[in-house]
Amino acid sequence: MGNESFSSRMNSGETVVLPLKTDEDVVRLRKQVRDDLIAMKFSLIDQTKMVTAASELARNTLRYGGGGEAHVSRRLDSDRTGIELSFVDKGPGIENLELAMTDGYTSGGGLGLGLSGAKRLADEFHIDTEPGKGTRVTIAKWKLF
Ligand SMILES: Nc1ncnc2c1ncn2[C@@H]1O[C@H](COP(=O)(O)OP(=O)(O)O)[C@@H](O)[C@H]1O
Ligand SMILES: [Mg+2]
């Protein structure tokens, strides 16, 4: 979706749902997030932070969650606007969340900086996960009007 339809979509509070099944889906998600952040006039540094965090979480959805979806939506307060991104899968879930959040911990030969890095890069970070059921990671970034 380009920027033309962005304002009506974001004003109506609609959520864009993108599949996360392939590497190309991750590329598409990165572009969607970048375009939305630009349309919302986020700074270049905040764009980079959120696109980086989104990439890490999307790759986790693919690699550990067996694929899933990304949900992109806008949030609105009286004095600020924000973007919210959720990464949802019905994979194995995370047995030990504290361990998974530790810098450098990986169960799959990665760098172990995806979850902890995404938490540092975003303003809000939340994980819902249940062994055998799946995982939902939500991040948000805010900008004052
Ligand atoms: N969606 C997910 N489903 C199941 N486990 C996950 C998921 N995301 C992350 N994890 C677990 O958390 C660990 C840490 O993730 P992360 O910090 O991104 O490091 P890395 O991707 O390099 O392993 C992963 O190795 C994996 O065990
Ligand atoms: Mg990772």
Side-chain angles (χ1 to χ4, degrees):
M1 179 181 293
N3 285 346
E4 193 177 37
S5 50
F6 169 84
S7 41
S8 57
R9 168 166 69 75
M10 288 314 226
N11 285 336
S12 67
E14 194 184 319
T15 298
V16 171
V17 179
L18 296 176
L20 291 174
K21 306 267 186 227
T22 66
D23 287 343
E24 291 72 45
D25 290 339
V26 178
V27 173
R28 261 190 293 278
L29 171 76
R30 287 174 63 101
K31 179 164 169 36
Q32 174 80 52
V33 170
R34 175 77 71 181
D35 288 350
D36 283 2
L37 290 163
I38 289 170
M40 292 172 79
K41 301 193 183 342
F42 273 94
S43 68
L44 183 57
I45 189 155
D46 279 350
Q47 291 171 37
T48 304
K49 285 179 177 178
M50 282 306 265
V51 172
T52 302
S55 287
E56 291 292 334
L57 299 176
R59 296 207 172 283
N60 283 352
T61 299
L62 274 188
R63 181 167 189 169
Y64 302 111
E69 288 177 347
H71 299 188
V72 181
S73 56
R74 183 181 186 176
R75 288 169 60 182
L76 206 54
D77 274 1
S78 54
D79 60 343
R80 60 182 189 166
T81 180
I83 190 167
E84 182 177 288
L85 310 173
S86 293
F87 301 83
V88 187
D89 67 64
K90 294 190 164 80
I94 301 175
E95 200 81 51
N96 186 336
L97 192 51
E98 196 181 326
L99 184 61
M101 288 301 302
T102 305
D103 269 352
Y105 172 80
T106 179
S107 66
L111 291 177
L113 293 170
L115 289 177
S116 54
K119 183 172 186 179
R120 279 190 291 269
L121 292 167
D123 293 337
E124 291 177 19
F125 179 94
H126 184 76
I127 299 191
D128 274 318
T129 185
E130 204 180 324
K133 291 263 171 74
T135 300
R136 172 187 288 256
V137 184
T138 301
I139 57 173
K141 184 65 118 183
W142 290 102
K143 184 169 101 28
L144 290 173
F145 286 132

